[in-house]
């Protein structure tokens, strides 16, 4: 998809009123017109309650159909409404990526007693207790669903770890003991072995589990009609499992089926390693770029903007990189809080929407705003305009002017169309830069489509223009009258 744009449709505080799917359905046509080519929907599974964002993942076969945890619908609506929303989006040509939470399960139906050891929370390979019997929430038999879609029942031996012993009331990281039981391999080596993240940690090396998750994935795709997957928390999931599941899905649904993984690491080497381990089958979020944005937005004048793409996935594997500014985990109050400072938001979005590299993802919290007790306003008007600019002008050769620590710019030549796109960023004072759009534009007039400058730029006989920006801002310029408009 040329100049595709992904939309993360939810934020942590998205209203739990059950209208989410209905609204998404009604908005499908509008989203397509604005320029979104794909959407990432929240985890569709029944969680711990009607307020669950979806990451507790109680039952992979309950998409808002059974009366469990005091609700039939999920936070977002019913199964029928989910299917109707996806259908409406696909009808408008928008791809839909489902969020698969396969690292862990939560809100079990009953407790089980089994042997376990405590491990050091900072080095999970280090056992710090004798084996002893604990009682924990690992039994899932889904009584209300009554074997519909699947008769698989989850027990403690389908998991590797848990963090709470009901018997003693003790919180710790417990490694479950048994035949062939150990932490999964090919996971992040932070904390020694970062298989365990939260809740009941799924054992992806258990053959019955693998079979069941493959089946659940097929069922989910067939039931909902999604054509892409976002894998949650893959840093904690055996890379071979993700590779083989993706391979299987590709074989069944074709090589256009899309895969995206959330591997939360600042070190681009770890992300690159996972790309290798999964044989280039999945794209990954460019988390290092998010942290470059975060640092630049915090450091202001002291950050060297010429290095904004240094050590990022976008710079190593541009065709595997999904670029983003913020998400539901980085927003204020959440587990990975690292929200980009407001003054830098537009700059960051220019860096993902107007560049050649990366597949940009726009966050609902930045688009509509963030709800809850401490609401934050969104930037819908600004982003709608930027999406329009991307769709119309962000094509062709890219000429960089990464000239000064606080002043960078680039030109997209857009050779085959209306007008070049000139982008200029100053993280310091108000500034200007001479940039060359080509002699063929001599005497033509460029205007600032970001709306910050009323002054126009006239291109001289050499094709140079003196473009202005700042302080702490981005401007983006195109021909005053593009050829197709005149
Ligand atoms: Ca795990």
């Amino acid at each position: 998809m040329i100049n595709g744009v992904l939309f993360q449709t939810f934020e942590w505080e998205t209203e739990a009123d059950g209208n989410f799917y209905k609204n998404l359905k009604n908005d499908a046509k509008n989203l397509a017109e604005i320029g979104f080519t794909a959407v990432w929907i929240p985890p569709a599974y029944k969680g711990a309650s009607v307020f669950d964002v979806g990451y507790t993942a109680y039952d992979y076969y309950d998409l808002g159909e059974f009366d469990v945890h005091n609700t039939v619908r999920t936070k977002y609506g019913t199964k029928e409404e989910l299917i109707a929303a996806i259908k409406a989006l696909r009808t408008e040509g928008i791809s839909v990526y489902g969020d698969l939470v396969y690292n862990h399960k939560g809100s079990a139906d009953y407790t089980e007693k089994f042997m376990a050891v405590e491990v050091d929370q900072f080095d999970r390979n280090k056992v710090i207790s004798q084996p002893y019997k604990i009682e924990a929430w690992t039994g899932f038999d889904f009584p209300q669903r009554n074997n519909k879609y699947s008769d698989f029942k989850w027990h403690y031996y389908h998991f590797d770890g848990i963090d709470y012993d009901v018997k003693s009331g003790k919180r710790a990281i417990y490694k479950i003991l048994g035949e062939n039981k150990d932490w999964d391999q090919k996971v992040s080596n932070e904390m020694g072995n970062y298989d365990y993240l939260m809740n009941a940690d799924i054992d992806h090396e258990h053959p019955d589990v693998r079979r069941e998750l493959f089946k659940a994935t097929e069922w989910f795709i067939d039931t909902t009609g999604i054509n892409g997957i976002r894998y949650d928390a893959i840093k904690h999931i055996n890379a071979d499992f993700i590779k083989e599941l993706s391979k299987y899905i590709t074989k069944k649904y074709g090589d256009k089926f899309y895969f995206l993984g959330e591997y939360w690491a600042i070190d681009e080497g770890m992300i690159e390693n996972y790309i290798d381990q999964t044989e280039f089958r999945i794209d990954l979020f460019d988390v290092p770029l998010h942290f470059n944005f975060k640092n630049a937005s915090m450091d202001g004048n002291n950050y060297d903007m010429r290095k904004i793409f240094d050590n990022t996935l976008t710079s190593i594997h541009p065709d595997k990189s999904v670029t983003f500014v913020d998400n539901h985990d980085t927003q204020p109050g959440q587990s990975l809080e690292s929200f980009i400072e407001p003054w830098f938001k537009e700059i960051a979005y220019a860096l993902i929407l107007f560049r050649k590299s990366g597949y940009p993802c726009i966050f609902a919290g930045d688009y509509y705003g963030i709800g809850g007790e401490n609401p934050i306003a969104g930037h819908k008007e600004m982003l709608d305009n930027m999406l329009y600019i991307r769709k119309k002008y962000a094509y062709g050769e890219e000429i960089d002017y990464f000239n000064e620590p606080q002043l960078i710019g680039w030109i997209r030549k857009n050779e085959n169309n209306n007008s070049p796109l000139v982008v200029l960023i100053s993280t310091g004072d108000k500034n200007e830069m001479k940039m060359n759009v080509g002699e063929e534009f001599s005497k033509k007039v460029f205007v600032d489509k970001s709306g910050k400058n009323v002054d126009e730029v006239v291109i001289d006989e050499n094709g140079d223009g003196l473009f202005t920006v700042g302080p702490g801002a981005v401007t983006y310029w195109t021909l005053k009258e593009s050829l197709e408009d005149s």
Side-chain angles (χ1 to χ4, degrees):
M1 170 70 71
I2 296 168
N3 277 14
V5 181
L6 172 58
F7 185 40
Q8 178 184 0
T9 52
F10 62 103
E11 49 102 10
W12 201 266
E13 304 290 349
T14 293
E15 286 282 348
D17 57 9
N19 289 325
F20 178 83
Y21 293 143
K22 278 180 265 181
N23 294 340
L24 191 56
K25 178 179 173 232
N26 294 335
D27 210 22
K29 196 174 164 48
N30 179 43
L31 291 173
E33 280 167 4
I34 291 165
F36 291 111
T37 54
V39 298
W40 154 24
I41 57 171
Y45 319 122
K46 182 69 54 70
S49 78
V50 77
F51 299 103
D52 198 306
V53 174
Y55 293 101
T56 306
Y58 160 71
D59 183 0
Y60 298 130
Y61 298 96
D62 183 359
L63 308 179
E65 180 176 2
F66 305 99
D67 191 0
V68 187
H69 302 151
N70 302 315
T71 178
V72 171
R73 70 167 175 88
T74 67
K75 175 176 181 178
Y76 308 104
T78 65
K79 180 186 176 189
E80 288 70 31
E81 289 161 352
L82 166 69
I83 293 168
I86 292 170
K87 194 175 171 198
L89 289 158
R90 297 291 311 271
T91 301
E92 295 298 333
I94 296 178
S95 290
V96 181
Y97 308 155
D99 199 329
L100 302 193
V101 184
Y102 282 172
N103 178 63
H104 53 264
K105 289 170 67 66
S107 274
D109 295 305
Y110 59 93
T111 60
E112 296 177 306
K113 289 176 185 150
F114 51 87
M115 296 296 285
V117 286
E118 292 172 33
V119 300
D120 186 318
Q121 62 166 317
F122 301 110
D123 180 2
R124 277 79 183 284
N125 290 319
K126 194 170 157 193
V127 174
I128 56 170
S129 80
Q130 292 299 312
Y132 65 97
K133 196 171 258 184
I134 66 167
E135 179 179 355
W137 291 94
T138 50
F140 294 79
D141 59 357
F142 316 110
Q144 290 86 343
R145 180 155 57 76
N146 196 22
N147 297 326
K148 196 172 176 185
Y149 309 127
S150 168
D151 59 5
F152 190 85
K153 310 286 192 287
W154 295 76
H155 296 287
Y156 70 90
Y157 46 82
H158 297 125
F159 301 103
D160 282 330
I162 192 89
D163 62 358
Y164 183 63
D165 174 14
V166 178
K167 212 156 82 178
S168 65
K170 185 173 180 181
R171 291 205 168 274
I173 297 177
Y174 295 97
K175 188 167 88 167
I176 298 170
L177 298 178
E179 208 183 327
N180 297 322
K181 278 239 141 326
D182 200 350
W183 297 127
D184 284 345
Q185 299 305 303
K186 292 203 180 177
V187 295
S188 162
N189 61 9
E190 286 174 65
M191 314 294 172
N193 171 308
Y194 216 170
D195 184 12
Y196 190 83
L197 175 66
M198 61 194 285
N199 294 343
D201 184 77
I202 292 175
D203 180 0
H204 294 89
E205 292 168 1
H206 192 300
D208 295 345
V209 167
R210 293 166 74 95
R211 207 171 301 123
E212 174 60 12
L213 290 180
F214 277 41
K215 181 183 161 181
T217 310
E218 274 183 284
W219 178 85
F220 187 74
I221 295 168
D222 292 340
T223 302
T224 62
I226 57 165
N227 61 336
I229 286 171
R230 181 250 184 207
Y231 291 119
D232 183 54
I234 56 170
K235 175 168 151 176
H236 315 279
I237 299 177
N238 185 318
D240 285 342
F241 173 83
I242 296 293
K243 178 184 76 183
E244 279 154 32
L245 176 58
S246 305
K247 212 165 159 178
Y248 180 76
I249 298 301
T250 299
K251 200 173 165 195
K252 177 154 186 195
Y253 298 94
D255 54 16
K256 286 213 170 71
F257 199 95
Y258 180 77
F259 302 97
L260 165 60
E262 181 224 9
Y263 194 104
W264 198 261
I266 300 178
D267 176 5
E268 85 283 8
M270 293 174 78
I271 293 175
E272 196 184 7
N273 186 36
Y274 206 90
I275 288 181
D276 288 340
Q277 286 180 329
T278 50
E279 294 174 349
F280 287 75
R281 289 179 179 278
I282 61 171
D283 285 1
L284 293 178
F285 286 109
D286 194 345
V287 178
L289 180 61
H290 162 76
F291 281 103
N292 283 0
F293 290 160
K294 175 67 183 168
N295 292 337
S297 79
M298 298 291 285
D299 295 351
N301 262 330
N302 297 319
Y303 191 90
D304 186 345
M305 285 295 286
R306 294 171 299 184
K307 299 183 170 178
I308 196 76
F309 287 105
D310 283 8
N311 308 316
T312 62
L313 181 59
T314 302
S315 64
I316 309 170
H317 290 303
D319 55 338
K320 292 275 108 190
S321 175
V322 174
T323 51
F324 69 102
V325 175
D326 272 305
N327 67 28
H328 63 291
D329 283 327
T330 70
Q331 73 183 66
Q334 295 314 314
S335 58
L336 304 168
E337 180 175 343
S338 50
F339 209 52
I340 307 303
E341 295 295 310
W343 73 275
F344 199 81
K345 282 275 177 184
E346 187 179 11
I347 295 173
Y349 273 107
L351 285 161
I352 69 170
L353 290 171
F354 299 155
R355 300 284 297 175
K356 204 173 194 172
S357 298
Y359 175 17
C361 178
I362 289 184
F363 173 45
D366 287 335
Y367 189 75
Y368 298 120
I370 286 171
E373 284 175 15
N374 301 298
I376 298 171
H379 309 276
K380 185 177 186 307
E381 204 178 324
M382 175 191 94
L383 288 167
D384 282 347
N385 180 45
M386 294 179 93
L387 284 168
Y388 174 77
I389 300 286
R390 173 179 172 81
K391 193 154 76 171
K392 196 163 178 186
Y393 302 103
Y395 300 96
E397 194 189 339
E398 189 167 72
I399 301 162
D400 283 343
Y401 291 74
F402 281 34
N403 294 350
E404 297 172 37
Q406 276 79 52
L407 184 68
I408 62 165
W410 67 92
I411 295 172
R412 298 299 300 276
K413 293 289 276 187
N414 198 15
E415 296 89 349
N416 303 319
N417 294 298
N418 30 63
S419 162
L421 171 64
V422 178
V423 185
L424 191 57
I425 294 169
S426 169
T427 53
D429 297 334
K430 189 168 172 30
N431 215 329
E432 58 189 21
M433 191 194 278
K434 192 165 87 171
M435 298 168 86
N436 191 288
V437 293
E439 285 173 15
E440 64 270 37
F441 294 102
S442 164
K443 291 182 187 142
K444 297 276 190 196
V445 175
F446 276 68
V447 291
D448 178 10
K449 292 284 174 71
S450 80
K452 295 184 193 76
N453 286 285
V454 287
D455 293 343
E456 300 173 341
V457 171
V458 182
I459 306 302
D460 71 15
E461 66 273 17
N462 300 319
D464 289 327
L466 194 60
F467 297 93
T468 57
V469 66
V474 55
T475 52
Y476 24 103
W477 309 71
T478 64
L479 274 180
K480 187 176 184 182
E481 288 179 78
S482 63
L483 299 177
E484 64 179 19
D485 295 339
S486 59

